[in-house]
Each structure stands twice: as structure tokens, then as C-alpha cells.
Amino acid sequence: MWIDNDDRIMEILDYIEKPSKECFPVTCPICGKREGHLYFHRYMQGNARGGMWTWCSACRHSAHATYRVPKFWENLKDINFAKLASHPDYLEEKKNCIDEWNNKLIFKR
Ligand SMILES: [Zn+2]
């Protein structure tokens, strides 16, 4: 079960939109545990439109919305678009490679 009624979980976006010292997984804005994750998925190459997911593995808060994906973002090849849903069950399974990918993209920027 995911809890999707607390927008504070979207504060995880700050870690990727602004330069930050913390790498993923980041501190959850709700429970304070370092279990916060984020994934974007660009719908089409070269297009800013995509989806964003933020979630915490500890307190199970999550958010999903359509989003203007940052320019530097590249979809992670391991993620099967067909398996993405509004709740991050599939992303939770892949969180280790997602965190690694985020850190790589942030560092590269
Ligand atoms: Zn949390």
C-alpha cells in the first residue's frame, strides 16, 4: 500500500533540480529516513514531457504526476515503460539501479 495524499514527498524533486550535496537515496521529507527515491520517464526522445515519481521505501509515501523532465535526464534502459503505473511498486523493485542512475546523471551534469 502506498500513501499518495501528502505532497511533501514531492520535495524530493529539489534534490535533482537544485545542486545538492546529498546523493540518492535522499532524506525523506516526511519521515526523515534516508529512503527517498525519484524517477522521471521522458515519453519521447527530445521532448520535455514525461512523468515523475517520488517515493519513500520507509514510510511508503509516493507521488506521481506528469512533469517537465529536466534537459539532462535520460531514461534508464532497464525500466520497462509498460510496467510503470501511478504507484511505484515496479520502481521500488528497481530502486537500487534507479538511485545509481540518478547519482550518475547528477554528477555528469
Ligand atoms: Zn519516508
Side-chain angles (χ1 to χ4, degrees):
M1 274 292 282
W2 295 94
I3 309 154
D4 59 7
N5 61 1
D6 192 332
D7 286 348
R8 284 179 297 163
I9 197 70
M10 286 169 67
E11 290 169 20
I12 290 175
L13 287 164
D14 288 351
Y15 288 101
I16 209 154
E17 293 277 23
K18 295 175 197 162
S20 159
K21 284 190 198 94
E22 199 170 337
C23 57
F24 283 86
V26 297
T27 303
C28 169
I30 296 171
C31 73
K33 295 208 172 106
R34 217 177 143 188
E35 303 250 22
H37 310 280
L38 174 151
Y39 187 69
F40 293 122
H41 198 92
R42 194 187 296 285
Y43 296 146
M44 269 163 44
Q45 186 95 40
N47 191 314
R49 273 197 65 220
M52 78 87 198
W53 289 258
T54 54
W55 73 102
C56 171
S57 310
C59 64
R60 311 284 286 182
H61 280 89
S62 73
H64 165 54
T66 53
Y67 198 73
R68 209 183 156 76
V69 173
K71 276 199 178 68
F72 66 86
W73 179 261
E74 295 163 38
N75 291 344
L76 176 53
K77 301 245 185 320
D78 291 0
I79 298 297
N80 179 352
F81 179 66
K83 288 191 177 176
L84 292 173
S86 58
H87 286 157
D89 296 292
Y90 170 62
L91 293 170
E92 173 71 11
E93 283 171 32
K94 300 268 188 187
K95 65 184 176 186
N96 293 337
C97 52
I98 289 171
D99 289 338
E100 212 176 291
W101 183 245
N102 289 351
N103 293 334
K104 203 161 124 187
L105 288 178
I106 293 167
F107 185 72
K108 214 172 77 173
R109 183 164 42 158

PDB file of all heavy atoms in Angstrom, residues 28 30-32 56 58-60, ligand 1:
ATOM      1  N   CYS A  28      13.987  11.460   3.327  1.00  0.00           N
ATOM      2  CA  CYS A  28      12.550  11.622   3.060  1.00  0.00           C
ATOM      3  C   CYS A  28      12.035  12.866   3.778  1.00  0.00           C
ATOM      4  O   CYS A  28      12.258  13.018   4.981  1.00  0.00           O
ATOM      5  CB  CYS A  28      11.807  10.377   3.542  1.00  0.00           C
ATOM      6  SG  CYS A  28      10.020  10.586   3.544  1.00  0.00           S
ATOM      7  N   ILE A  30       9.182  13.507   4.728  1.00  0.00           N
ATOM      8  CA  ILE A  30       8.079  13.196   5.644  1.00  0.00           C
ATOM      9  C   ILE A  30       8.573  12.447   6.884  1.00  0.00           C
ATOM     10  O   ILE A  30       8.354  12.875   8.006  1.00  0.00           O
ATOM     11  CB  ILE A  30       6.952  12.429   4.916  1.00  0.00           C
ATOM     12  CG1 ILE A  30       6.352  13.341   3.831  1.00  0.00           C
ATOM     13  CG2 ILE A  30       5.863  11.973   5.898  1.00  0.00           C
ATOM     14  CD1 ILE A  30       5.391  12.654   2.888  1.00  0.00           C
ATOM     15  N   CYS A  31       9.301  11.340   6.692  1.00  0.00           N
ATOM     16  CA  CYS A  31       9.690  10.543   7.866  1.00  0.00           C
ATOM     17  C   CYS A  31      11.149  10.760   8.279  1.00  0.00           C
ATOM     18  O   CYS A  31      11.553  10.320   9.359  1.00  0.00           O
ATOM     19  CB  CYS A  31       9.422   9.058   7.628  1.00  0.00           C
ATOM     20  SG  CYS A  31      10.569   8.286   6.474  1.00  0.00           S
ATOM     21  N   GLY A  32      11.940  11.412   7.421  1.00  0.00           N
ATOM     22  CA  GLY A  32      13.329  11.718   7.784  1.00  0.00           C
ATOM     23  C   GLY A  32      14.312  10.578   7.592  1.00  0.00           C
ATOM     24  O   GLY A  32      15.497  10.725   7.859  1.00  0.00           O
ATOM     25  N   CYS A  56       9.064   7.039  -0.922  1.00  0.00           N
ATOM     26  CA  CYS A  56       9.921   6.679   0.194  1.00  0.00           C
ATOM     27  C   CYS A  56       9.657   5.214   0.532  1.00  0.00           C
ATOM     28  O   CYS A  56       8.507   4.821   0.737  1.00  0.00           O
ATOM     29  CB  CYS A  56       9.622   7.572   1.398  1.00  0.00           C
ATOM     30  SG  CYS A  56      10.456   7.012   2.895  1.00  0.00           S
ATOM     31  N   ALA A  58      10.531   3.723   3.205  1.00  0.00           N
ATOM     32  CA  ALA A  58      10.295   3.520   4.636  1.00  0.00           C
ATOM     33  C   ALA A  58       8.843   3.825   5.014  1.00  0.00           C
ATOM     34  O   ALA A  58       8.156   2.967   5.566  1.00  0.00           O
ATOM     35  CB  ALA A  58      11.247   4.377   5.455  1.00  0.00           C
ATOM     36  N   CYS A  59       8.366   5.030   4.709  1.00  0.00           N
ATOM     37  CA  CYS A  59       7.000   5.387   5.142  1.00  0.00           C
ATOM     38  C   CYS A  59       5.965   5.171   4.035  1.00  0.00           C
ATOM     39  O   CYS A  59       4.776   5.367   4.270  1.00  0.00           O
ATOM     40  CB  CYS A  59       6.954   6.820   5.665  1.00  0.00           C
ATOM     41  SG  CYS A  59       7.322   8.091   4.447  1.00  0.00           S
ATOM     42  N   ARG A  60       6.428   4.764   2.848  1.00  0.00           N
ATOM     43  CA  ARG A  60       5.552   4.389   1.732  1.00  0.00           C
ATOM     44  C   ARG A  60       4.693   5.547   1.217  1.00  0.00           C
ATOM     45  O   ARG A  60       3.616   5.325   0.657  1.00  0.00           O
ATOM     46  CB  ARG A  60       4.642   3.205   2.116  1.00  0.00           C
ATOM     47  CG  ARG A  60       5.354   2.047   2.752  1.00  0.00           C
ATOM     48  CD  ARG A  60       6.124   1.210   1.769  1.00  0.00           C
ATOM     49  NE  ARG A  60       5.292   0.364   0.929  1.00  0.00           N
ATOM     50  CZ  ARG A  60       5.789  -0.484   0.016  1.00  0.00           C
ATOM     51  NH1 ARG A  60       7.082  -0.589  -0.148  1.00  0.00           N
ATOM     52  NH2 ARG A  60       4.981  -1.218  -0.714  1.00  0.00           N
TER      53      ARG A  60
HETATM   54 ZN    ZN B   1       9.552   8.469   4.401  1.00  0.00          ZN
END
